[in-house]
Amino acid sequence: MLQIDCPWCGPRAESEFSCGGEGGIVRPPNSESLTDAEWGDYVFMRKNPKGVHHEQWRHASGCGRWFNVLRDTVSYRIHATWRIGEAMPDAEGQAAASRSNA
Amino acid sequence: MPEVLQRKAEPAIRRPVASAAPVTRSLLAGWREGLCIVNLRGNAEDTAFRQAVESVLDAPLPVKPCTTGEGSAVRVLWAGPDDWFIVGPKGQADALATRLRKALAGQHHAVTDVSSGYTVLHLSGTPARDVLAQGCPLDLHPRAFARGACAGSHFFKAGVWLWQTDDAPEYELLVRRSFAGYVWLMLERATAECGLVTRRFA
Ligand SMILES: [Zn+2]
């Protein structure tokens, strides 16, 4: 079982968490002027990288908070976790994640 | 004298025991029914909010994750950075919620009496840690989890909030009422080797 470092509660077992898919997606402020394709991109389109992925996870049976996770989808290694609203911390996976986001 | 029921080898039969002497090698468990359980939401960084709450509860509001605040009458569990459970004596929920709402009037907050939605399970005795470990992934070693700590986790498939009330060890679990039957069933299975002594708690 993975150990996931909840930014509030500390390291806990994976079974206490739920994964919410890709993280860091910002809702477009001008939703009324978007085309269907642009709105569809925001609502449905998700990255599915082989490698480091920026995800959102929720500490479901603990503090209930959503938070950011940088996880390698190949090795399952978690490079970093950080609170919503905070900057992505320096981590070895960061460079790889920005590459896969490019 | 509390009513004592004991089960050893045969799970289907619970026979009353004449003596109430505790069977120390077994797990002692029972529900603490009807306790006051109030959920409180608000901004922990707001001094006015903290002061209003603490003046009503006569207990510190825990702002450090996974800790409890102990008062003379109530225990406050940290349940999130803006989220707490207040566990108090039977029949006090209404009065406590009213006093909290009065003290917090005009402030951004939510006070909800959830006494009917939850129930509290008492667990004590030598095997308590081993029994919990069968269904709960928390590190309950005294160096990681002791009195004053609390944690939201799960016991098998049921979400629970857990805290320690004595080093003996003695634990209490906040369980959703609709999961009480399931939690008890799993507790019976998890105590097949050590034995389970059922007791009614105030
Ligand atoms: Zn947490």
Side-chain angles (χ1 to χ4, degrees):
Chain A
M1 195 182 291
L2 288 178
Q3 267 216 332
I4 300 175
D5 203 0
C6 170
W8 295 97
C9 303
R12 296 289 190 86
E14 174 194 352
S15 55
E16 294 183 2
F17 297 85
S18 61
C19 179
E22 186 182 339
I25 296 170
V26 180
R27 184 187 167 117
N30 54 332
S31 53
E32 68 287 346
S33 60
L34 292 184
T35 64
D36 283 356
E38 285 167 335
W39 184 250
D41 183 55
Y42 160 67
V43 175
F44 300 113
M45 301 310 283
R46 296 293 180 264
K47 294 191 183 76
N48 186 22
K50 183 178 180 184
V52 180
H53 191 205
H54 177 183
E55 297 176 329
Q56 52 183 343
W57 284 67
R58 182 171 176 263
H59 192 188
S61 52
C63 62
R65 295 305 111 167
W66 285 98
F67 58 95
N68 295 287
V69 175
L70 212 54
R71 184 179 69 92
D72 193 310
T73 60
V74 177
S75 64
Y76 273 54
R77 180 167 174 200
I78 289 173
H79 292 281
T81 59
W82 69 101
R83 293 178 187 181
I84 298 286
E86 289 181 346
M88 186 187 290
D90 285 331
E92 330 163 26
Q94 197 180 336
S98 48
R99 266 201 308 280
S100 71
N101 285 345
Chain B
M1 188 61 68
E3 182 187 327
V4 174
L5 301 160
Q6 187 175 16
R7 173 176 71 74
K8 271 284 168 122
E10 176 52 68
I13 301 170
R14 291 201 194 136
R15 53 199 163 80
V17 173
S19 152
V23 184
T24 50
R25 286 178 58 246
S26 296
L27 183 79
L28 189 65
W31 298 103
R32 300 192 62 195
E33 290 288 355
L35 291 185
C36 149
I37 301 157
V38 172
N39 179 243
L40 171 71
R41 305 292 303 264
N43 182 1
E45 281 159 23
D46 183 347
T47 317
F49 172 79
R50 283 204 314 273
Q51 280 173 350
V53 170
E54 287 175 350
S55 71
V56 170
L57 298 182
D58 192 25
L61 187 70
V63 290
K64 191 171 169 252
C66 306
T67 60
T68 62
E70 310 288 331
S72 49
V74 298
R75 173 178 285 117
V76 191
L77 313 174
W78 182 94
D82 57 3
D83 197 346
W84 297 268
F85 283 112
I86 302 158
V87 182
K90 225 172 191 166
Q92 296 293 306
D94 235 10
L96 185 72
T98 308
R99 279 166 59 217
L100 277 170
R101 285 193 194 106
K102 209 171 151 193
L104 290 167
Q107 294 194 46
H108 181 66
H109 75 281
V111 172
T112 316
D113 177 5
V114 292
S115 309
S116 60
Y118 288 89
T119 182
V120 172
L121 178 65
H122 167 111
L123 294 182
S124 62
T126 325
R129 279 192 193 98
D130 292 336
V131 168
L132 279 168
Q134 291 180 55
C136 176
L138 287 174
D139 182 0
L140 294 174
H141 190 281
R143 121 189 115 219
F145 194 96
R147 283 169 81 169
C150 74
S153 187
H154 58 84
F155 184 61
F156 295 91
K157 298 283 183 185
V160 296
W161 278 88
L162 183 147
W163 61 99
Q164 193 172 335
T165 47
D166 195 283
D167 298 329
E170 181 180 288
Y171 297 95
E172 282 182 344
L173 275 71
L174 188 65
V175 179
R176 281 184 190 276
R177 186 170 296 277
S178 54
F179 278 89
Y182 167 82
V183 165
W184 192 262
L185 179 74
M186 297 320 285
L187 197 64
E188 286 186 335
R189 303 224 171 147
T191 49
E193 286 177 12
C194 65
L196 173 63
V197 178
T198 311
R199 188 163 148 187
R200 209 161 284 163
F201 290 89

